Amino acid sequence: MIIRTQFPDLFLADALPALDELIFSRLNRHPPQYSRIFRVMGSTRSIEQTSELSGLGTFVSIPEGGNMRYDFAVPGFDKTYTHSQYGLGFAISRVMVDDDRWAIIRKLSSELGRSAKETVELHAATTFNNGFADTGPDGVSLFDASHPMVKAGGTETNTATAADLDIASLELALTAFRTIKDPAGKQGRLQPRRLVIPPQLEFTASEMLKGVMRSDTANNTINAFKNRVGMGSFDDIVVWEYLTDPDAWFVLADKEETELRWYWRERPSTVHDVHFDSRTIKTAMWMRYSYGYSNFYGAWGNPGA
């Protein structure tokens, strides 16, 4: 049996806290992007499941002395989130530890934290990178023109004809976003809070949304995106380096208003051990999670021209 306390002169009791600090400092060096987009929750089960309900319809006229009309909710679509486990590690010989005590270890520790962060962002971004071609709980992709309305009947859309991000296309998107109805046919009235874009659209988005005046004309015209009637403006532009399409762009409501979900079953954690025969020091990081979406409400996307 390997007993780590047999090696008090190795970087165990004294150096492991420093090693973990190196790993997690790189993991937390830059604020995560995925958590600005997904509803991040913990999980205590092997899976998480969601089941949607349609909600109720609008009120109806009841004559004097008439009976109350009772409505009912219609079951929507189910989604199961199954957690997957991910891990990565590195091993260093005792000789390397003795002769180059921290230079290599410092670099590898830092890289392990960076790799964990990269993995999370890459996985989260696949929801959007595949969002025009995947199959979601309702049988169509996340961004699709024919989401079935389980109670009201018909379909709803959260995409449009492919168009690059500009004043006209964003105006159309916000108008469509504002008029999306829920499964019972009521107006959703979701407020757009985030514009999620790849790095290639950063400056276009900043010019369009952050200026006081309209960016595409020399006329003295206000920036209507900052002065919407009865509807809040964007709170945030998220430039997400992990989006693979250079001209796809997305409009999102508050995280709490969407069903973009990320479940942490086990947050990143480290394990250290020593192989007795070879005197090799091993460090590994584990994490376990699931992610995806339960429905399309609060998310709108355009693949770009």
Side-chain angles (χ1 to χ4, degrees), residues 19 22 26 43 52-53 63 91 102 117 120 131 135 138 142 197 205 207 289:
L19 189 65
L22 286 170
R26 189 58 179 263
S43 174
E52 299 297 314
L53 288 176
W102 281 107
K117 183 182 183 68
V120 168
T135 300
D138 61 359
L142 172 56
I197 54 173
E207 290 173 359
Y289 53 79

Side-chain angles (χ1 to χ4, degrees), residues 48-52 77-81 259 261 263 294:
E48 292 291 339
Q49 295 176 302
T50 61
S51 183
E52 299 297 314
F77 302 100
D78 300 329
K79 168 74 174 182
T80 298
Y81 297 81
E259 284 296 326
R261 292 171 175 254
Y263 289 102
S294 297

Side-chain angles (χ1 to χ4, degrees), residues 8 11 49 52 71 81 89 91 97 102 104 108 125 155-156 159 175 205 240-241 263 275 300:
F11 66 103
Q49 295 176 302
E52 299 297 314
D71 201 0
Y81 297 81
V97 171
W102 281 107
I104 300 297
L108 290 177
T155 59
E156 185 59 276
T159 190
T175 300
W240 209 5
E241 297 84 356
Y263 289 102
H275 185 266
W300 196 98

Side-chain angles (χ1 to χ4, degrees), residues 179-198:
T179 57
I180 286 178
K181 293 182 172 62
D182 70 14
K186 301 190 300 293
Q187 290 289 347
R189 290 189 57 79
L190 296 174
Q191 298 194 29
R193 292 302 190 192
R194 287 175 178 80
L195 180 65
V196 181
I197 54 173

Side-chain angles (χ1 to χ4, degrees), residues 116 121 139 176 187 193 208 274 292-293:
E121 296 288 349
Q187 290 289 347
R193 292 302 190 192
M208 289 170 52
V274 178
Y293 63 95

